[in-house]
Amino acid sequence: MNKQLFMFVLFFLCTNVLLAQKKVSGVVKEADTNEPLIGATVLVKGTTNGVVTDLDGHYTIEVNANDVLQFAYVGLETRDETVGERTVINVSLASSSIKINEVVVTAMGLERKAKSLTYATQQVGGGELTRAKETNLINSLQGKTAGLVITPNSTGAGGSSKLLIRGNKSAQGNNQPLIVIDGIPMANSTTTQMEGEYGGRDGGDALSNLNPDDIASINVLKGASAAALYGSMAANGVVMITTKKGSVGSMRVDVSSNTTFETTLDAPKLQSTYGAVVSGSGALAQDSWGEKISGEAKGANRLDEFFRTGMTTINSVSISGGSEKTQSYISYANTSASGIMPTNTFTRHNMMAKETFKLFNDKVVVNASLNYIIQKGRNRHEPGQYRNPLTGLYTFPANGDFRQYKNEFEKYDDVKGYPVQQWYREVNQDFSANPYWVLHRNPHTEKRDRMMASASIRYNITDYLNVQGRLNYDRIADLYERKIYASTSTTLHNVNGEYRQERDDSRQFYGDLMANFNKTFDAWSVTASVGTSFTDLKETGIIAAGGGDIYIPNYFQIANGSKNGSENKRWKTQKRLNSVFGTAQIGYKDMIYLDVTGRNDWSSTLSYTPNVSYFYPSFGLTALINEMIALPESVNLLKGRASYSVVGNDMPAYITNPTHKFRNGSVDFNTSVPFTEMKPEKLKSMEFGFDLSMFNNRFEMDFTYYKTNNTNQYFSMEASSATGYSNYYFNAGDIQNTGFETTMSWRQPITADLSWKTSFNLSYNDNVIKKLDDRQDVAKENRLTHVWLGSLRGYDMRLVEGGSYGDLYSKTVVRDENGVIKVDENGAPLVSKDKEFVGNVNPKWNLGWSNSFNYKDLQLYFLIDGRIGGNFVDLTQATLDAYGVSQNSADARDNGGVDLGNGTKVDAANFYRSIGQREKGGAYYVYSATNFRLRELSIGYAFRNLLGAGKDLGVSLIGRNLFFLYKDAPSDPEVSMSTSNGYSGSNYFALPATRSFGINLKATF
């Protein structure tokens, strides 16, 4: 820790700032829309002294009175202003046809003109992450990027999120995109996720560690062609993050403070009319199928008693500046959150420093950065059946005294000699426990210590040829600790308690070396790069827990057990990927461009096979039609593009040559057949699209159609006992995704001071399992018929040939030809003998519609987004119905029973007790996942020069996830319990979704 802090301070001391004679400030806006321009360049003409505008379009620069300031922004006319005696210079830049020359960052950090790209990308400014901040910054992009589906976990502050671009592609592997920071791949490992109904935990992801105020922009490379240079790491697309860096000019300080409050958005609807049966001794039954409550329903408001108003505060400060030879950027951010669930807290500290040096007459450019992160979470929610306070909270009878168990969740036992749990039910039952006992006597903490350090050096041999080398080191150290006190249910734990500790350490070392060429020859332009790279990933972990008989109750040490470390597990995984790659783009008269890339990987996961080396190419063509033929004057840009690529994807480590493991003093022998013929997955991708800009670039649109086929999936099947193994692996299958993406925007000036910008994005994806087991050398009856991805209380997610990724199967309620539910003599629904298809968890359509209104320094922004199609399984609702605590169950009793569909009514207790059980509900608890909501709202005002010349203050009222415009499911269908492949689109006592509202302050000095 001391070493990292020393390095951090060293970066800060390296900051070199030029001083000038006079300070000038102002705001740069777009003339057509009157919107502030983020990232506009303000340069002293004829020099390298310049700055860029901030999120409010504001700039401050030190100059001389006779200097000329040059204001420039991509796509707008450049404007010059002589300084003279002025200290405030505000300018508006008009539209220009050069918008098509916008430069974007693509794979490997290479810069390309937007007009030359042969594939679809979408760039989002860093301001979209900081308008209304989230603890996991990527959640701020929900609804803002066509084709990027973001699903946050329902685990509280600091939880991970699942990212999906153009559908699921891999049956057993990772489907999330590669995360790249400043051109360098980042380790985005997820330590652990819930994978079953009996519980599990969200270990967080690496992307959520970043500070949103450090992000300058995000570029989403959606297809395999766009990401081809990253090889097998990027088969699922790339999210490219460009961080801020120092700029030429005087020292600048940016301070921001974001405070939001969270409340439940869709907590279950519980009834307060009927209570549990009361025995002669006054004990309450475990369910609530008793008589109507007479008098006060003491447990009616238990959700209000339990859930609190959460609060999240994100404060950050950054300092930047420099000379033409040295630029520096340093920042610190602190995140502090208390969730809606009591005792759930999260804190994070982010420290970042970046330095740029130009040496030897700018021939050599050196960049170095250090990012250090410390975070800690306490009692992050664990969905599922065990160690979950919500099971006891939700099923508590309305006629019980909930406050009694809140205030006295434990009582000292004179016989046992320690406090024991107090609850209305027998505490050894595995399903329900006192919620406050779970919070205070089943505590768990997670700690993360992370350091990312990178350096690059570029030597400019000529103005068109350079050589660049980069190195990056990313280390993550995780520690998880859980304590289970005595008198917790013994179904999973020892009668005297339990202590568990998990350590997980990963480090990724990455390096590359590239030669880059960029030159124009009359009508021809050539841009090319060749290089080599390596990625070395190593993970080690240990799980240690006491086992057998625990000697001393509530003494939390590994040694306190008759089988010390009986659950002791150690693992070590190491993967190495070596690569060579090349790319070339040839342009003719700025109207047609041809792209070619090729990459060859050598993966250690394919060792012991003849396929350790694999090559894949990509090809792309784009044509600027407006440069080729005469089009109406209103058309600024019309571009057609097409691309095709083949991308490989390696496999998990140690499948080709499984090894024995040593555990608890004995050897666990390998039971899998070595897979010596293993092949890498092969993803074939094609896309076609166009880009259109009209009416002086006020209207912009892009459209892309794509088709991908991922073959050579790896599967496992039971092996013949004669082989001496239990299972074997093989390559087979073909998962296809087809769809389209489109974005449209319009910018409209209304008056001299008022403008409006609206943007709309829409994406559609259709997934088909074209082939599952297509091996020709295996008899049809011996082939794999389905692949099980996950199971939750009788609902299975399977891959079946002809079906789609995310298909759900379950036994289902039997109905007659008129749709009437069939029941037995007791009124319990009849269910099918076998499991049947009941839905798919993935939406077909995703959309977002944003609007921004600017009046002078006042801005209003709102975003509505939605998903159309797909299904959601709410097993919380099923359980609450079975226990008689749901509003559904009370309504049915009030109406004389449950209507079977033809006016016939059956007893509500018999019906719901049956249908809410495991393996019973079928399609009854499968809901439409279609929903629309107000995702984000912001009203802000910028006070210019409030604290002095060039010292501004911005104040915004913000809100996220405020309310649903339409929703069918009982709970939020977009919130997931896990980022694992098989547990999307379901809820089993997950934490309710939340709405947030608060204030955002930004100051510039």
Side-chain angles (χ1 to χ4, degrees), residues 24-131:
V24 171
S25 63
V27 178
V28 183
K29 294 184 177 181
E30 183 176 1
D32 289 342
T33 65
N34 201 38
E35 291 184 10
L37 289 172
I38 304 170
T41 301
V42 184
L43 183 71
V44 177
K45 197 169 184 178
T47 74
T48 57
N49 179 22
V51 296
V52 294
T53 56
D54 62 16
L55 298 178
D56 297 313
H58 182 267
Y59 73 93
T60 301
I61 189 170
E62 294 192 357
V63 295
N64 294 310
N66 59 349
D67 285 339
V68 176
L69 288 180
Q70 187 175 76
F71 299 86
Y73 189 81
V74 174
L76 302 178
E77 296 284 3
T78 300
R79 180 171 168 178
D80 292 347
E81 291 283 341
T82 302
V83 175
E85 300 300 320
R86 292 183 292 177
T87 58
V88 177
I89 301 178
N90 298 322
V91 300
S92 295
L93 303 183
S95 297
S96 166
S97 60
I98 64 171
K99 187 176 182 66
I100 57 177
N101 290 316
E102 178 184 1
V103 175
V104 296
V105 179
T106 63
M108 303 302 294
L110 301 174
E111 293 185 346
R112 293 284 187 268
K113 291 181 180 179
K115 69 179 182 181
S116 72
L117 299 182
T118 62
Y119 45 76
T121 71
Q122 186 170 351
Q123 185 154 313
V124 180
E128 295 295 340
L129 304 176
T130 57
R131 182 187 291 113

Side-chain angles (χ1 to χ4, degrees), residues 582-603:
T583 180
Q585 182 185 86
I586 301 174
Y588 177 68
K589 291 187 175 180
D590 275 349
M591 66 173 60
I592 189 166
Y593 294 88
L594 173 67
D595 253 0
V596 179
T597 70
R599 176 166 171 139
N600 199 93
D601 283 346
W602 290 264
S603 174

Side-chain angles (χ1 to χ4, degrees), residues 868-882:
I868 303 174
N871 299 102
F872 181 74
V873 183
D874 200 325
L875 293 170
T876 304
Q877 185 66 42
T879 307
L880 302 186
D881 284 351

Side-chain angles (χ1 to χ4, degrees), residues 969-988:
S971 56
D972 189 344
E974 290 189 18
V975 175
S976 180
M977 299 187 299
S978 172
T979 62
S980 298
N981 288 335
Y983 294 92
S984 299
S986 56
N987 174 21
Y988 189 48

